[in-house]
């Protein structure tokens, strides 16, 4: 099941993608893809609907972030061994956690804004995990039962703000538009093994990232179990699980986004995003 949100920013409506790629409106059955709508029983009700009975949306509407009302946007840093090595950082003993402001979230094809004075804006394709059931003190064996689904994330980063402004990485991760989510929330039952997905990122048509979730240091189950010992995970919370090598910061010489550059990031079975970088006025 591929769920989505469409419409102008702040006015998105819930929908689903039918077997023919048609966009069907779900607003007659739920208010938004957020919170309680992601609980297992709610997802089961959506799955029981006949897509052909839902209104077909004509035209080419904007696709919004695939989850609304995100409470926590959590990110796991250096979760691919070869990415940690390209960044010149130690392999972590425990999942590295930082937060991305929810105000950074945008649609998968919205422009990415290069902040004023910034010249080191980078790309990071990541597997996103969307929580569907509250999780507190869960074991690895229990963890996957708390997942509503998966999505593509681009953890856009400004490296000087991340590494040189002191404090937490959050400073370089939370600028407006630095959190494209989607295009779809793919239900957990449609992703048999989240540790066997190919991730790619192209910049201006050049393939720069090409990895697999099989090389994660910490698996999705391990990440959820660990985070659930720190705080309760709630339906609609999003976890970005780390990026494979190929980011601009790790290149020699380093390479960063300029206005007009085009990013295309995708994950096998979860869809693709396309963002144009532009200066933030």
């Amino acid at each position: 099941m591929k769920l989505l949100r469409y419409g102008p920013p702040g006015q998105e409506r819930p929908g689903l993608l039918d077997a023919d790629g048609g966009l069907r409106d779900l607003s007659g059955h739920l208010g938004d893809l957020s919170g309680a709508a992601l609980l297992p029983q709610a997802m089961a009700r959506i799955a029981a609907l006949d897509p052909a009975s839902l209104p077909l949306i004509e035209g080419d509407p904007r696709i919004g972030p695939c989850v609304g009302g995100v409470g926590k946007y959590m990110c796991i840093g250096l979760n691919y061994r070869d990415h940690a090595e390209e960044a010149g950082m130690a392999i972590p003993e425990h999942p590295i956690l930082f937060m991305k402001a929810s105000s950074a979230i945008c649609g998968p094809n919205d422009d990415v804004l290069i902040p004023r004075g910034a010249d080191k804006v980078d790309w990071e394709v990541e597997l996103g995990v969307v929580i569907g059931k509250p999780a507190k003190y869960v074991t690895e064996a229990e963890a996957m039962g708390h997942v509503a689904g998966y999505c593509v994330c681009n953890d856009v980063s400004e490296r000087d703000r991340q590494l040189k402004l002191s404090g937490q990485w959050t400073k370089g991760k939370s600028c407006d538009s630095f959190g494209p989510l989607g295009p779809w929330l793919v239900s957990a039952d449609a992703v048999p093994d989240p540790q066997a997905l190919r991730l790619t990122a192209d910049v201006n048509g050049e393939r720069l990232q090409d990895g697999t979730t099989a090389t994660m240091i910490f698996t999705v189950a391990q990440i959820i179990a660990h985070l659930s010992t720190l705080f309760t995970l709630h339906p609609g919370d999003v976890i970005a699980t780390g990026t494979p090598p190929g980011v601009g910061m790790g290149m020699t010489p380093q390479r960063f986004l300029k206005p007009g550059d085009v990013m295309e990031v995708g994950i096998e079975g979860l869809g693709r995003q396309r963002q144009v970088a532009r200066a933030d006025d």
Side-chain angles (χ1 to χ4, degrees):
M1 185 167 60
K2 294 176 179 176
L3 304 175
L4 52 86
R5 300 168 70 245
Y6 71 96
Q11 302 176 44
E12 291 93 349
R13 298 161 67 95
L16 63 77
L17 209 66
D18 66 24
D20 298 319
L23 197 166
R24 300 282 179 166
D25 182 68
L26 273 172
S27 58
H29 296 271
L30 70 158
D32 200 359
L33 287 171
S34 62
L38 301 172
L39 289 166
Q41 58 269 36
M43 292 285 281
R45 286 195 293 269
I46 297 172
L49 296 172
D50 177 6
S53 70
L54 303 171
L56 181 65
I57 305 304
E58 303 291 346
D60 187 23
R62 168 187 174 267
I63 302 301
C66 59
V67 184
V70 174
K72 293 190 289 294
Y73 192 157
M74 299 154 283
C75 302
I76 305 301
L78 305 178
N79 196 30
Y80 289 72
R81 181 175 297 273
D82 36 12
H83 171 57
E85 291 170 348
E86 75 170 348
M89 298 181 179
I91 303 300
E93 295 183 15
H94 308 281
I96 293 174
L97 172 67
F98 62 91
M99 310 296 278
K100 186 184 284 279
S102 59
S103 57
I105 294 172
C106 65
N109 304 315
D110 292 347
D111 289 348
V112 163
L113 306 178
I114 298 176
R116 293 180 183 178
D119 60 5
K120 293 185 178 178
V121 177
D122 209 344
W123 54 88
E124 294 190 10
V125 61
E126 307 203 7
L127 171 66
V129 179
V130 180
I131 298 299
K133 185 170 71 171
K136 184 174 184 179
Y137 302 131
V138 302
T139 66
E140 288 181 34
E142 297 166 334
M144 304 308 287
H146 295 262
V147 175
Y150 303 91
C151 66
V152 181
C153 301
N154 187 356
D155 177 21
V156 184
S157 310
E158 208 292 328
R159 298 306 188 184
D160 271 350
R161 297 183 181 201
Q162 176 186 353
L163 300 173
K164 295 182 179 180
L165 285 190
S166 302
Q168 299 181 347
W169 289 358
T170 299
K171 290 183 177 181
K173 300 283 190 170
S174 294
C175 303
D176 294 348
S177 78
F178 275 23
L181 293 181
W184 315 313
L185 169 61
V186 180
S187 57
D189 63 321
V191 182
D193 186 359
Q195 304 305 147
L197 300 175
R198 184 184 179 200
L199 310 87
T200 61
D202 301 344
V203 179
N204 298 330
E206 180 183 359
R207 179 64 45 89
L208 298 179
Q209 288 187 278
D210 192 344
T212 169
T213 56
T215 63
M216 282 182 180
I217 298 169
F218 304 104
T219 66
V220 171
Q222 289 172 325
I223 291 167
I224 292 172
H226 176 72
L227 295 180
S228 78
T229 68
L230 307 176
F231 39 68
T232 302
L233 302 174
H234 296 282
D237 286 350
V238 175
I239 307 168
T241 56
T243 196
V247 301
M249 179 179 66
M251 295 180 177
T252 304
Q254 291 183 329
R255 175 176 171 182
F256 298 109
L257 296 171
K258 305 179 299 297
D261 285 347
V262 178
M263 291 176 284
E264 295 181 86
V265 305
I267 300 178
E268 176 185 8
L270 304 186
R272 292 186 63 80
Q273 306 179 350
R274 182 183 187 275
Q275 300 106 25
V276 177
R278 67 175 177 87
D280 189 0
D281 299 329

